[in-house]
Amino acid sequence: MSTISKHLIALEDEAIYIFREVAAQFERPALLFSGGKDSIVLLHLALKAFSPGKIPFPLVHVDTGHNFPEVITFRDQLVAATNSRLIVASVEAAIRKYNLKEAGGRFPSRNALQTYALLDIIQEYEFDACIGGARRDEEKARAKERIFSVRDDFGQWDPKLQRPELWDILNGKISKGHNVRVFPLSNWTELDVWNYIKSNAIQLPPLYYAHQREVIHFQDKLVATSDVTRAVQDDIVTVEQVRYRTVGDMTCTAAVPSQAVTIDEIIEEIFNTRISERGQTRLDDQVSETAMEDRKKQGYF
């Protein structure tokens, strides 16, 4: 194991403190788990926070049906290895239940539809807090969140009605029917996450490392071919050496050209990058300047 820096120790201590506050202040918390790097780090931190006991809450995956197969395989392996309880909320089921209309366009995202599945699972299991891996450096709307971010009876978020959090005092008091979204990685950056992964030898799905993949060249992005992202006439399709900085739907998450096959090479690559991971790879965030904030106000995580 690599030596962990004082900076990472401070971030780890803060995250562990937040996890323990969640367990102390809420009756039915859950950890939202996508199988991506940030949620994997969250799970690692939760295991540390409650060791030698089990994590006192389940993992919840909002499954869009458009996931990368490598991520689902890794998710199931990690759940089994950590003896965690996994609850899967299906977007496909929500589409049928509410007769939802999917987004149009060449590579439509189901991110907005995740809200229905998430709110249903919150109501079914009466979760009063949902822990997620959002970081403030991902996207400008994320920076408006508090660590304990309150949602109303309809799961909606109002950035103007968030509570101050002074001197690490976290207020989890909520009205009946309200919900809190919790962000233990609020003060982490993408580089912090990768340095922590390196320091703790945390395993990740292989698509985070450079590999060869068939991709469609679409609006200066590289979209992997799959059952839900098929090439059409006139598409330029090539096999490229790529990796993924973030993991979302296959329909809205682009790969980046990369030769980085080790963590050290990835860290160097990120250090020299001036574009955020979502800004570089997420097609759905480019619909408008407020795309993420609009989804969050409607109940998206």
Side-chain angles (χ1 to χ4, degrees):
M1 180 183 295
S2 303
T3 302
I4 188 168
S5 69
K6 290 182 179 180
H7 171 66
L8 290 180
I9 289 173
L11 290 175
E12 179 185 72
D13 288 346
E14 179 189 49
I16 287 174
Y17 162 73
I18 293 167
F19 269 113
R20 290 172 177 169
E21 283 296 301
V22 170
Q25 295 192 43
F26 297 98
E27 294 182 3
R28 295 183 181 87
L31 173 60
L32 297 188
F33 186 79
S34 68
K37 67 182 187 308
D38 296 325
S39 62
I40 290 170
V41 166
L42 273 185
L43 178 55
H44 181 88
L45 289 163
L47 290 166
K48 279 195 172 186
F50 301 107
S51 178
K54 289 184 62 176
I55 300 173
F57 39 74
L59 311 184
V60 172
H61 181 208
V62 181
D63 185 352
T64 65
H66 290 170
N67 301 282
F68 287 90
E70 302 99 315
V71 173
I72 297 300
T73 298
F74 190 90
R75 178 202 70 183
D76 293 342
Q77 291 172 345
L78 189 57
V79 166
T82 57
N83 195 26
S84 300
R85 177 189 174 201
L86 175 67
I87 298 170
V88 177
S90 170
V91 173
E92 293 272 10
I95 291 172
R96 294 192 297 270
K97 177 180 178 180
Y98 296 107
N99 194 26
L100 300 175
K101 183 178 179 181
E102 299 202 45
R106 177 68 195 282
F107 295 118
S109 168
R110 284 183 167 178
N111 274 345
L113 304 183
Q114 289 185 58
T115 299
Y116 296 88
L118 175 59
L119 295 182
D120 272 359
I121 213 77
I122 288 173
Q123 183 177 32
E124 179 181 351
Y125 288 88
E126 298 182 338
F127 293 132
D128 51 4
C130 293
I131 306 160
R135 308 186 321 269
R136 288 175 181 167
D137 71 325
E138 287 181 90
E139 202 275 343
K140 59 186 178 182
R142 303 282 203 196
K144 298 181 181 180
E145 294 277 18
R146 299 293 190 267
I147 292 174
F148 277 13
S149 185
V150 180
R151 301 300 199 271
D152 65 16
D153 307 61
F154 302 100
Q156 296 177 328
W157 172 71
D158 186 342
K160 297 179 181 178
L161 297 179
Q162 297 301 304
R163 300 165 178 172
E165 293 177 336
L166 306 175
W167 304 292
D168 295 329
I169 297 174
L170 302 175
N171 180 5
K173 186 176 181 180
I174 55 175
S175 302
K176 184 174 178 60
H178 285 198
N179 185 271
V180 170
R181 311 293 167 85
V182 182
F183 303 108
L185 304 184
S186 285
N187 294 321
W188 296 53
T189 66
E190 182 185 11
L191 200 56
D192 291 329
V193 168
W194 276 103
N195 277 313
Y196 190 79
I197 289 168
K198 175 185 176 181
S199 297
N200 288 269
I202 298 173
Q203 299 298 308
L204 297 177
L207 79 174
Y208 279 107
Y209 300 91
H211 58 285
Q212 287 198 333
R213 189 179 287 260
E214 185 178 81
V215 295
I216 303 166
H217 295 248
F218 177 77
Q219 296 180 353
D220 81 354
K221 307 291 186 190
L222 301 176
V223 180
T225 57
S226 71
D227 290 343
V228 294
T229 51
R230 294 185 175 91
V232 298
Q233 188 175 5
D234 297 330
D235 274 343
I236 299 174
V237 180
T238 60
V239 175
E240 305 287 346
Q241 185 86 353
V242 299
R243 73 175 193 87
Y244 286 85
R245 291 179 68 186
T246 183
V247 174
D249 279 2
M250 295 190 74
T251 56
C252 65
T253 307
V256 296
S258 177
Q259 300 298 319
V261 295
T262 67
I263 291 183
D264 285 331
E265 290 171 342
I266 290 173
I267 289 172
E268 182 179 0
E269 188 176 270
I270 295 169
F271 184 79
N272 292 314
T273 298
R274 294 295 176 263
I275 305 175
S276 72
E277 58 192 290
R278 293 191 71 94
Q280 186 179 21
T281 67
R282 296 300 287 269
L283 279 67
D284 52 329
D285 285 348
Q286 298 175 34
V287 174
S288 74
E289 290 187 359
T290 60
M292 170 64 80
E293 185 164 335
D294 292 342
R295 293 199 302 271
K296 289 169 70 65
K297 287 179 178 178
Q298 294 167 5
Y300 180 76
F301 189 75

